[in-house]
Amino acid sequence: SQELEQSPQSLIVQEGKNLTINCTSSKTLYGLYWYKQKYGEGLIFLMMLQKGGEEKSHEKITAKLDEKKQQSSLHITASQPSHAGIYLCGARPLGINSGGSNYKLTFGKGTLLTVNP
Amino acid sequence: DTAVSQTPKYLVTQMGNDKSIKCEQNLGHDTMYWYKQDSKKFLKIMFSYNNKELIINETVPNRFSPKSPDKAHLNLHINSLELGDSAVYFCASSHDQLGRRLTQYFGPGTRLTVL
């Protein structure tokens, strides 16, 4: 089964600093999803990457997928307290286009981000 | 407008009881999911329905029974609740377009505490 490793497990930064969270897969990824979860709330979809080398940005958050499609990074520029939360990467297995396996997302264990004002 | 909603948001109950959690989505999606997030925040798929048909059934005790009365609803019924069932349960939905599995959108979660 596919496993996703996220690093670091937790991160504390000062407001205004840049930071990067990584997500590494044991297998080639078909789709890589980044979500953010605030305490006591659901998951908020941030971005989805599918092609090798793809990069997407939304406001101050940029996500990249490497050419081999086995590693993704999430970069936050000039962090703010509103960026605090748990960041989760989720992925679909590669090459399985029928049956139930391609529907499910496998998640990493999350990165807890704290931004101190 | 709420896209994926769950009720209740909090559920506290005694061991051995039977309880249900309801999920509704108004996104017009045809696939719905139940995930469980444990105390370590690890999120894991439990079930998935596509057009009211069960397509994913992970290794989950048969005390857990999903029911999808229509494409917009997926409920989760749990019999004989145990302490280990305490967790946050998330519902999600997505649109399966021409065989492509698209982005999953999550509900706010139901925090279940079994005493």
Side-chain angles (χ1 to χ4, degrees):
Chain A
S1 63
Q2 185 167 48
E3 291 184 357
L4 293 177
E5 290 282 337
Q6 278 188 243
S7 62
Q9 288 186 353
S10 63
L11 190 55
I12 302 174
V13 299
Q14 205 64 33
E15 182 177 358
K17 295 294 184 184
N18 302 337
L19 63 105
T20 299
I21 299 169
N22 294 303
C23 177
T24 303
S25 171
S26 57
K27 298 182 180 181
T28 306
L29 300 166
Y30 176 69
L32 189 286
Y33 299 76
W34 282 102
Y35 289 87
K36 177 186 174 185
Q37 183 181 19
K38 287 205 159 185
Y39 180 77
E41 297 179 17
L43 278 67
I44 300 167
F45 169 69
L46 296 175
M47 278 172 275
M48 191 267 277
L49 305 166
Q50 205 161 355
K51 299 177 183 176
E54 187 175 8
E55 180 176 323
K56 287 186 179 178
S57 292
H58 175 67
E59 297 179 344
K60 294 186 178 179
I61 302 176
T62 300
K64 300 179 186 179
L65 183 61
D66 74 340
E67 290 289 344
K68 291 185 179 179
K69 296 171 66 173
Q70 282 189 275
Q71 186 169 29
S72 178
S73 60
L74 186 82
H75 185 77
I76 299 177
T77 304
S79 58
Q80 299 169 353
S82 61
H83 287 126
I86 299 171
Y87 289 81
L88 291 151
C89 64
R92 298 188 189 282
L94 175 69
I96 300 173
N97 291 315
S98 61
S101 297
N102 194 239
Y103 283 88
K104 66 179 179 182
L105 288 179
T106 299
F107 284 90
K109 293 188 177 180
T111 295
L112 175 61
L113 172 63
T114 303
V115 180
N116 290 326
Chain B
D1 288 344
T2 304
V4 183
S5 60
Q6 294 178 229
T7 54
K9 190 167 183 179
Y10 299 97
L11 186 53
V12 181
T13 188
Q14 298 285 336
M15 246 184 356
N17 284 349
D18 302 339
K19 290 292 178 186
S20 292
I21 307 172
K22 296 185 177 182
C23 178
E24 177 181 2
Q25 54 93 4
N26 62 6
L27 297 168
H29 289 167
D30 45 26
T31 308
M32 296 184 73
Y33 310 78
W34 278 111
Y35 286 85
K36 179 180 179 180
Q37 188 175 43
D38 61 25
S39 57
K40 296 182 180 179
K41 304 297 182 187
F42 189 45
L43 195 61
K44 194 169 181 184
I45 184 78
M46 297 173 69
F47 301 104
S48 178
Y49 271 74
N50 174 253
N51 287 315
K52 300 196 296 175
E53 181 184 345
L54 182 65
I55 54 169
I56 295 176
N57 186 350
E58 292 292 286
T59 309
V60 177
N62 57 15
R63 299 181 293 104
F64 290 78
S65 53
K67 284 188 173 56
S68 182
D70 54 57
K71 287 199 304 183
H73 296 85
L74 180 62
N75 303 323
L76 183 65
H77 188 75
I78 314 169
N79 288 328
S80 303
L81 279 156
E82 299 177 358
L83 293 176
D85 297 333
S86 296
V88 182
Y89 292 86
F90 286 100
C91 176
S93 72
S94 66
H95 181 45
D96 178 22
Q97 183 184 59
L98 298 176
R100 292 175 57 211
R101 318 296 187 235
L102 301 183
T103 300
Q104 293 181 20
Y105 293 90
F106 284 76
T110 295
R111 183 175 293 275
L112 171 64
T113 303
V114 182
L115 303 174

